Amino acid sequence: MGQFTTEVLATETKVSFDHAVQTVAKILRRDEVVALPTETVYGLAGNAFQPEAIRKIYAAKERPQTNPLIVHVAGWAMVERCVREWTESAAQLTRAFWPGPLTVVLQRSDLIPDEITAGGDTVAIRWPSHPVMQAVIEECGFPLAAPSANRSNELSPTQAQHVLSQLSGAIPLVVDGGHCVVGIESTVVDLVGRPARVLRPGMIHTNALSVATPGIEWAGSDDGSGRRSILRSPGMTARHYSPKARLVVERWEDRMGFDDAVRRLGKPRSAISVIAYNVIPEVYGFCWVSLVPHNSEAYARALFSELHLCDASGCEVILVEAPPCEVEWVGIWDRLRRAAVEGWDFR
Ligand code: TXA
Ligand code: MG
């Protein structure tokens, strides 16, 4: 329930696309917030220069104010309005990966309100590649603050339907731009200090970043450096992207290993959903079984959708087959780790 009857706008024809962009821009100019597709996950967008709009984003998500937002731009002129200085590594990284699933943290300009940065002196900026998001930003002429369009601490949305399931009634509009092709949130890189540090891993992994700009470090788990009093990146707090069911990650080599993993859960098969990609179990008797592709990009694209399906199945436990421990999978591991409470096996 909520104050709105949430409308969904399609974008698959030129006419519906243009109509959606015009309608959304009109709403955003009134400092209201709407859910928009990006290539990573759906975002809950509002005018980044208007504190009133930002407050509505936090309210709709029930997000703690200590958790800063990403500002989405389209074009270099807009970047200039958001940051105080542009560094050499920012130029190198954005030349390589923008528009795309990379967010850079830099010193903020005076136009960026405190509400976005949680009072900090830096701002996170991303130029997204999704055509709907780009067209809306261009039509508005101002950048859009947009966290993932989920309720705080719940699963991120990669389809319009996921947004509706969490925010129906809380926002006036969702634009349906199809299934997000990246599927997990952007890689966040802090370029304020030296060395540059990855605050949140994503599908642009450390090796790829290092090719564009040398000397990037992984911030790892919370380093407690306290350089800023705001949370360095809430992706670092435990249990951030959670399904409702308990999530357990296990590795199994064969049918017997799988059966053992199931037995260790101590639940009947009817209470268990399975996400497997390599050793596919016999599916009989489970609450739900998701088979996901076994290259990292396709896996990431499927992950949140499959977690949403598992949750919708009403299971008590989601048993996930552990992905490979390789650099392309670090972002995926990060999301699984945050969704899980137990069951680690790093073999
Ligand atoms: O792919 C994405 O980044 C999606 C889409 C919608 O663009 N957005 C997203 O936003 O994931 P959100 O709010 O769910 O996550 C923003 C991340 C958080 O980890 C936050 O702490 C970090 O960016 N962040 C934002 N501003 C920051 C800042 N000034 N310093 C450090 N981290 C910051
Ligand atoms: Mg989020």
Side-chain angles (χ1 to χ4, degrees):
M1 287 306 100
Q3 61 181 126
F4 299 103
T5 306
T6 306
E7 197 185 346
V8 181
L9 291 182
T11 54
E12 64 267 337
T13 64
K14 172 147 176 42
V15 172
S16 63
F17 184 104
D18 290 346
H19 170 70
V21 171
Q22 297 297 329
T23 307
V24 166
K26 219 177 288 168
I27 298 175
L28 289 169
R29 284 191 203 105
R30 293 201 304 260
D31 296 341
E32 295 292 341
V33 301
V34 297
L36 297 174
T38 85
E39 71 278 26
T40 56
V41 300
Y42 276 71
L44 184 57
N47 185 342
F49 292 151
Q50 292 298 334
E52 180 60 20
I54 309 307
R55 280 194 283 273
K56 287 179 185 165
I57 293 175
Y58 280 100
K61 277 188 65 109
E62 297 168 25
R63 176 174 172 124
Q65 302 266 348
T66 48
N67 194 344
L69 305 181
I70 295 174
V71 173
H72 297 71
V73 297
W76 301 109
M78 215 177 261
V79 176
E80 270 178 40
R81 291 161 72 198
C82 298
V83 301
R84 191 173 318 142
E85 61 180 329
W86 193 237
T87 64
E88 179 58 25
S89 48
Q92 289 166 336
L93 284 176
T94 57
R95 221 166 24 228
F97 299 111
W98 276 4
L102 173 73
T103 298
V104 293
V105 174
L106 290 161
Q107 296 287 350
R108 69 160 156 163
S109 74
D110 294 339
L111 285 173
I112 300 290
D114 285 343
E115 282 79 1
I116 286 194
T117 67
D121 54 5
T122 61
V123 63
I125 296 205
R126 178 163 105 80
W127 180 347
S129 67
H130 196 290
V132 170
M133 191 69 173
Q134 289 206 351
V136 170
I137 298 170
E138 280 164 13
E139 178 64 27
C140 288
F142 47 76
L144 297 177
S148 48
N150 50 285
R151 278 187 198 281
S152 200
N153 290 328
E154 292 185 17
L155 280 176
S156 295
T158 54
Q159 299 176 36
Q161 194 54 44
H162 300 159
V163 180
L164 276 183
S165 70
Q166 293 186 29
L167 294 177
S168 185
I171 56 175
L173 186 69
V174 180
V175 176
D176 189 343
H179 198 133
C180 303
V181 296
V182 177
I184 65 171
E185 299 86 343
S186 61
T187 304
V188 180
V189 184
D190 183 354
L191 298 177
V192 174
R194 271 173 196 278
R197 299 187 335 146
V198 177
L199 299 180
R200 179 177 71 184
M203 292 311 285
I204 299 177
H205 51 74
T206 321
N207 288 6
L209 295 168
S210 302
V211 171
T213 189
I216 288 226
E217 280 186 5
W218 158 233
S221 58
D222 197 2
D223 70 344
S225 75
R227 189 151 57 86
R228 281 192 293 277
S229 55
I230 53 169
L231 276 179
R232 290 196 57 82
S233 216
M236 293 179 170
T237 59
R239 225 173 138 68
H240 186 63
Y241 308 92
S242 315
K244 294 190 189 75
R246 194 174 116 218
L247 186 142
V248 177
V249 182
E250 286 262 15
R251 196 177 297 285
W252 53 80
E253 302 299 334
D254 51 25
R255 168 74 191 277
M256 258 171 57
F258 173 71
D259 286 344
D260 284 346
V262 170
R263 209 167 303 120
R264 277 197 294 277
L265 296 175
K267 296 277 178 194
R269 289 187 165 213
S270 58
I272 301 170
S273 290
V274 180
I275 299 182
Y277 74 98
N278 187 35
V279 183
I280 309 296
E282 183 204 333
V283 299
Y284 177 74
F286 288 101
C287 187
W288 181 264
V289 176
S290 294
L291 305 179
V292 289
H294 60 270
N295 78 70
S296 57
E297 286 181 5
Y299 187 111
R301 195 172 303 140
L303 179 62
F304 283 127
S305 286
E306 297 304 331
L307 289 175
H308 279 281
L309 282 175
C310 287
D311 255 357
S313 75
C315 65
E316 288 175 51
V317 187
I318 305 172
L319 176 60
V320 180
E321 182 182 7
C325 296
E326 289 157 15
V327 69
E328 300 83 24
W329 295 81
V330 169
I332 292 165
W333 268 109
D334 174 80
R335 303 313 186 272
L336 287 175
R337 193 172 287 125
R338 286 171 212 302
V341 286
E342 59 181 289
W344 293 103
D345 180 346
F346 288 98
R347 269 176 303 161

